[in-house]
Structures are given as structure tokens and as C-alpha cells.
């Protein structure tokens, strides 16, 4: 297991709250060079990098109320308890899913400083080199290619030892990692973060000294949060970006409207830019309420159209995941302590005293990356949607037990959850009222294509072939899931598939002069002045990886694009 630390600190989520305020009157004013909407994964990167220049002032607006202090989001193993339906979750759900037996799916988003980097499962996976080269092609900007982004990858990460400080020689490739960045990572060999991920290896995590490393504990960590030019306001729920005039026929959007802790509607202005970093769900919601989106949708709710852009909230891609479990002839699984409250407390005590033990890691310590054979019958349904011949179609999340509530009351399990990495179905995020504080309408639209149905089915069969290997002959005893035929597997999938919470693309990047997309390759919102988006919503297609890495790296380059424009 390899850990990655963002910002060099992985614990004490609000170690320096004195520099983070909750009342508007505690701010030095309501005008800054840059206003960042959202103190999440990307927003905190932007705030950190822009305030490296002491002459630049930045305000971060974050909707979260206050520090929660729950084990569930800073003890790594308890990451599965952080969401959904907790106080650190926005507690969103999808609309009934047409292709999933009309099920409503929980859709966690981090409602805490650090955003989803504070509640995710901490996997640090880059994806394939081809993923990023495709982003360069789709945007028309070679600066988004793998080779061009390598400096930002290194800038983001600092390799740190695992909690038990064992010798990691041979467990990762130092040549492909950074050692002087901000975020802490733990790695092993084969190093799937080399750009060629196919294979099985140890998981690399954003963990430092046995505790979660998020964008809050790293990019807003003690070395940075004390900067006099960096300000963070909690309990500031942004509702709209307001127009303050026009330049060259385009509206200027440099004022943010938000509701503060007192309940008052307040406005803050950016002298240079507003950076929208509210995430793949809340960013399109804010755009729509600001009058940027499909005129038909906006007029339905009486919202004046500033920019008619039907791409806002569309093109959403995400990763379907399905659980696969086997009974095992063993006792040293997670169930050894999850069945026993006393044993669980012993592990908690060990973690609290030493930051070691099973709780010092996320549950899946091995990942597998599998590509369908070129002659697979699945490609008779549709052309290969992957980014290239070295990009996997399936991820295997391998865990020695069941780490999600509710825990089984008896038996011992081995889990290989399967993630379909290259879905062709596309979902959307929209609004259903003119009230900016009503929950957005989320439609992940999973399994809307025959290719995706076949792909998730083949992912299940991939896990079964993996566990049928001779190495498991004396370990696994029976499959918990009895489905065997294609029809039975499809029925199991439709009844049980969920999301890995990796939405991207709802404010997608596209070439500057194209008639589609929401931002240009510099991440500036098309058709307006003064507004930029830096978060996962701009990523055109979900990568063959967990999405915190791509979000960090897009934010690192995004910060440099902003600096270049303003010569800072």
C-alpha cells in the first residue's frame, strides 16, 4: 500500500480554524482579486496556488457549516461510513433509474471542507496515458496531454511511507512519482500510475501517517492557511454568479451571491475572476441558476438567459460498480473484527494511539486493471470506447472481507468489486425550480446502452475468472451470488449496480470555437467574461481511474493558466 499526502498533513481536518471564519463580518472585506466558489478538491488547490503570490487576495466560499469531527471521514478504513446520508454528505439522490428497475440511487458528494476528497475512498489512480492524450485531442490543446501534465502530477504528490513504515523497496517506481509536492501518496509495484495501468498491484492512497489526506488538510494545511492573503468563509452557500455589465457583447460575471451563516443574502466581488469549483453536480446547478444553460430549461422556471448553452449539465459520465463476494475457508478477514464490537473498539483504540492497524488503510489494498481482448464479442455491439489499446475496461477492487455497512452477522468473505471504466451511457444534472437551494436533479442514466450492459456483465465474469485461479483453490469456497447465465447476471446487475461516485463532464471542456461544451481549453466559461470553472465537471470523459487524481491535476494546471493570464 502506498500513501499520497496532499499538502503534507493528513489529520486534524481543521487544525487551524482560527484562520477559517464562519461569519461575514470576520472577513476583511467583500472584494478580492479572486473568489473561489467551493472549498473542495479543486477549489483548495486554486486557493493555495494563487496565494503563493502575497500580492494576490483570494476568498474561498464553502457551504459547509463547521468541522464535524467524525471518525468516518478521517479514519481511512471507515471511509465507507462517511457517506451516504450523513452530516458530511450533501445527501443527494438520483431520479428513478429507468434501466436499474427504477431504483433511486444515493449520490454522495462531500459536504465538508475538502469536498469529496474528505469523504472518498482515497484511491490515488492516474488512469492511462491515453486518457490524457484524448483530453488533449478533445480540447485541441496539447497542454492537457500526459507528457505535458507530468510536471503537475509531480507538483501534486509527495510519496510518504505506509503507517507501519515497512520497507517499500520494489513496491513502487520512484521514477514516475513526485517527492516534493503537497499531497501524500503510498505506492507499490507494479506501479499502475506509470500511465500503463493494466495489471494487478498495491493500492496507492491519499493517506499520511495512518489518516486521510484531503485537499483541506494539505492545500489548506498549516503551512498555507496562515497566509494573510488567503481567506476561507464557511457556511457560505453560493446561489448565483451575477452579471455586472458586459464587455464586447458578453456578460461580465464577477460577483457571487451567497447566503451566509446569519441567513442574509450577501454579495462578494472578484476584481479579476470568479473560479467555480463546486463539483460536477453543484457547478452546473449554479450555472443554470445564473442564467447559463439551455434556454428551454431556464425559461421553464422564469430564469433570465444570459448565455444559451444546452451543454450545461449534459454529457455526464460515471463509473458503475457491482459487488462480487465469495465465502472463504479462513478467519483472518475483516469479519474477524466487524462481527465483534469489542474487537472493533480494540482496532479503534490502536488507531487512536498509534495511527496503525487495519483502520490505517482503506479497505481495498489491491487493485486490478483489466482490458477486454481485442476479439471480444462485446466489440460486435459497439466500437471500443476506451482511450486506446493500453487503457483498461474494468477495475477490480480486491478486499479481504466486506467493509460496507450493514456487515454480515456470520461467515467470512472475500470481495472483488468490479468497476466498468469505459461506459458509453451519458447522464445529466439539471434543476427543477428557480430556488437555487433546492436539490439538483441527477440522472446518471446507467446501462442505457447495450454495450454498457454487456460491459458490466463481462466485468462480473472477469472477477469470477480471477477468483477461479489456482491461488484461490483452498481459500474461496462458494460464490455468494448464484447468478450464472447472462440473463441472471444482467438481472443481478440491474438490481444491485451502484455508482463509484465519479461524475465528470457536466461542464465539459471543448475547443475554443466549437459549438458545444461549456469551457474552453483554458477552462474559461464560453460566452462570458470573468468566470472560469476548475473542477471535475470540465473533464470531458471519465478516465479509466478514480477521479480525485484527475481533479487535482486539472486544478494544478488550471491555477497556472490563471497565473499566466494575469501575470502573477
Amino acid at each position: 500500500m502506498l500513501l499520497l499526502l496532499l499538502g503534507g498533513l493528513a489529520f486534524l481536518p481543521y487544525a487551524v480554524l482560527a484562520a477559517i471564519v464562519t461569519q461575514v463580518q470576520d472577513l476583511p472585506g467583500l472584494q478580492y482579486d479572486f473568489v473561489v466558489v467551493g472549498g473542495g478538491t479543486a477549489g483548495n488547490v486554486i486557493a493555495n496556488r494563487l496565494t503563493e503570490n502575497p500580492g494576490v487576495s483570494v476568498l474561498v466560499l464553502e457551504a459547509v457549516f463547521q468541522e464535524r469531527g467524525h471518525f468516518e471521514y478521517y479514519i481511512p478504513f471507515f471511509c465507507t461510513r462517511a457517506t451516504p446520508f450523513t452530516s458530511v454528505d450533501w445527501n443527494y439522490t438520483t431520479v428513478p433509474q429507468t434501466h436499474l428497475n427504477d431504483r433511486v440511487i444515493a449520490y454522495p458528494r462531500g459536504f465538508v471542507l475538502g469536498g469529496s476528497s474528505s469523504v472518498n475512498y482515497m484511491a490515488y489512480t492516474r488512469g492511462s496515458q491515453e486518457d490524457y492524450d484524448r483530453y488533449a485531442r478533445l480540447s485541441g490543446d496539447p497542454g492537457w496531454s500526459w507528457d505535458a501534465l507530468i510536471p503537475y502530477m509531480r507538483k501534486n504528490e509527495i510519496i510518504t511511507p505506509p503507517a507501519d513504515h515497512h520497507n517499500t523497496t520494489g513496491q513502487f517506481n520512484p521514477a514516475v512519482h513526485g517527492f516534493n509536492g503537497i499531497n501524500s501518496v503510498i505506492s507499490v509495484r507494479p506501479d499502475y500510475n506509470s500511465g500503463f495501468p493494466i495489471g494487478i498491484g498495491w493500492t496507492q492512497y491519499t493517506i499520511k501517517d495512518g489518516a486521510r489526506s484531503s485537499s483541506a488538510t494539505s492545500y489548506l494545511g498549516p503551512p498555507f492557511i496562515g497566509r494573510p492573503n488567503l481567506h476561507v468563509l464557511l457556511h457560505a452557500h453560493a446561489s448565483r454568479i451575477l452579471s455586472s455589465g458586459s464587455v464586447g457583447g458578453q456578460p461580465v460575471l464577477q460577483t457571487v451571491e451567497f447566503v451566509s451563516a446569519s441567513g442574509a443574502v450577501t454579495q462578494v466581488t472578484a476584481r479579476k475572476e470568479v473560479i467555480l469549483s463546486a463539483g460536477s453536480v453543484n457547478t452546473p446547478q449554479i450555472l443554470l441558476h445564473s442564467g447559463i444553460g439551455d434556454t428551454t430549461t431556464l425559461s421553464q422556471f422564469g430564469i433570465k438567459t444570459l448565455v444559451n448553452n444546452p451543454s450545461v449539465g449534459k454529457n455526464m459520465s460515471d463509473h458503475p460498480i457491482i459487488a462480487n463476494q465469495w465465502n472463504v475457508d479462513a478467519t483472518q478477514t475483516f469479519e474477524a473484527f466487524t462481527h465483534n464490537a469489542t474487537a472493533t473498539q480494540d482496532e479503534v483504540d490502536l488507531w487512536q494511539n498509534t495511527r496503525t492497524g487495519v483502520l490505517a488503510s482503506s479497505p481495498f489494498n489491491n487493485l486490478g486493471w483489466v482490458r477486454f481482448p481485442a476479439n471480444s464479442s462485446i466489440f460486435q455491439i459497439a466500437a471500443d470506447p476506451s482511450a486506446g489499446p493500453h487503457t483498461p475496461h474494468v477495475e477490480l477492487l480486491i478486499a479481504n472481507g466486506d467493509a460496507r455497512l450493514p456487515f454480515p452477522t456470520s461467515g467470512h468473505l472475500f470481495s472483488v468489486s468490479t468497476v466498468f471504466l469505459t461506459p458509453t451511457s451519458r447522464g445529466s444534472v439539471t434543476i427543477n425550480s428557480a430556488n437555487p437551494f433546492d436539490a439538483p436533479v441527477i440522472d446518471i442514466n446507467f446501462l442505457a446502452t447495450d454495450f454498457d450492459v454487456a460491459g458490466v456483465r463481462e466485468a462480473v465474469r472477469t472477477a469470477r475468472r480471477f477468483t477461479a485461479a489456482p491461488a484461490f483453490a483452498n481459500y474461496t469456497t462458494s460464490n455468494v451470488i448464484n447468478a450464472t447465465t447472462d440473463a441472471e447476471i444482467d438481472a443481478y446487475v440491474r438490481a444491485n449496480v451502484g455508482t463509484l461516485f465519479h461524475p465528470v463532464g457536466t461542464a465539459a471542456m471543448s475547443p475554443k470555437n466549437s459549438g458545444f461544451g461549456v469551457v474552453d481549453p483554458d477552462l474559461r466559461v464560453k460566452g462570458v467574461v470573468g468566470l472560469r470553472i476548475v473542477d471535475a465537471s470540465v473533464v470531458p470523459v471519465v478516465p479509466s481511474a478514480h477521479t480525485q487524481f484527475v481533479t487535482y491535476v486539472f486544478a494544478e494546471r488550471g491555477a497556472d493558466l490563471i497565473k499566466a493570464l494575469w501575470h502573477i
Side-chain angles (χ1 to χ4, degrees), residues 111-325:
F111 185 67
V112 59
L113 194 61
S116 292
S117 73
S118 292
V119 299
N120 64 14
Y121 293 2
M122 296 162 288
Y124 186 80
T125 63
R126 292 176 176 173
S128 74
Q129 177 174 318
E130 295 159 341
D131 284 323
Y132 298 86
D133 292 344
R134 175 162 64 178
Y135 297 150
R137 293 194 303 274
L138 291 174
S139 66
D141 180 0
W144 293 111
S145 69
W146 174 273
D147 287 345
L149 289 173
I150 286 176
Y152 297 106
M153 300 178 191
R154 298 181 184 277
K155 194 175 184 180
N156 167 252
E157 66 186 36
I158 176 172
I159 297 294
T160 60
D164 63 359
H165 295 276
H166 72 264
N167 185 348
T168 58
T169 300
Q171 292 191 336
F172 77 107
N173 182 359
V176 302
H177 288 283
F179 291 82
N180 298 297
I182 287 183
N183 195 26
S184 175
V185 182
I186 297 178
S187 179
V188 294
R189 188 184 186 98
D191 198 321
Y192 55 71
N193 280 329
S194 64
F196 298 91
I198 294 174
I200 294 176
W202 298 99
T203 307
Q204 301 181 19
Y205 290 124
T206 47
I207 297 174
K208 168 66 174 178
D209 294 333
R212 175 188 294 274
S213 174
S214 70
S215 74
T217 64
S218 56
Y219 284 91
L220 294 186
F224 314 112
I225 195 61
R227 293 172 179 166
N229 55 332
L230 172 58
H231 310 276
V232 179
L233 177 64
L234 302 183
H235 205 330
H237 193 163
S239 52
R240 297 182 295 166
I241 317 297
L242 304 177
S243 175
S244 57
S246 65
V247 172
Q250 294 187 332
V252 176
L253 278 79
Q254 291 177 214
T255 298
V256 181
E257 176 186 272
F258 65 95
V259 173
S260 65
S262 67
V265 177
T266 307
Q267 295 180 7
V268 61
T269 298
R271 286 183 286 264
K272 299 186 186 323
E273 286 187 22
V274 171
I275 297 97
L276 186 52
S277 299
S280 292
V281 172
N282 289 350
T283 282
Q285 179 190 29
I286 292 172
L287 289 175
L288 290 164
H289 284 292
S290 303
I292 303 172
D294 191 328
T295 296
T296 302
T297 300
L298 300 178
S299 61
Q300 180 182 352
F301 303 112
I303 299 172
K304 179 183 176 181
T305 299
L306 288 179
V307 176
N308 178 24
N309 187 336
S311 295
V312 172
K314 304 299 195 297
N315 187 52
M316 179 181 181
S317 56
D318 191 0
H319 288 143
I321 182 173
I322 187 77
N324 307 280
Q325 294 181 330

Side-chain angles (χ1 to χ4, degrees), residues 404-426:
R404 292 184 63 88
L405 294 169
F407 296 127
T409 57
S410 62
H412 292 267
L413 298 171
F414 180 70
S415 298
V416 185
S417 295
T418 43
V419 182
F420 185 46
L421 298 170
T422 57
T424 57
S425 302
R426 293 295 180 264

Side-chain angles (χ1 to χ4, degrees), residues 466-515:
F466 175 73
T467 57
F472 294 99
N474 296 318
Y475 190 65
T476 58
T477 59
S478 61
N479 194 330
V480 173
I481 314 305
N482 293 321
T484 55
T485 67
D486 284 0
E488 290 171 342
I489 293 174
D490 290 350
Y492 168 70
V493 167
R494 292 187 191 279
N496 293 280
V497 75
T499 166
L500 201 53
F501 328 128
H502 291 166
V504 305
T506 51
M509 172 176 67
S510 63
K512 288 188 176 182
N513 297 319
S514 67

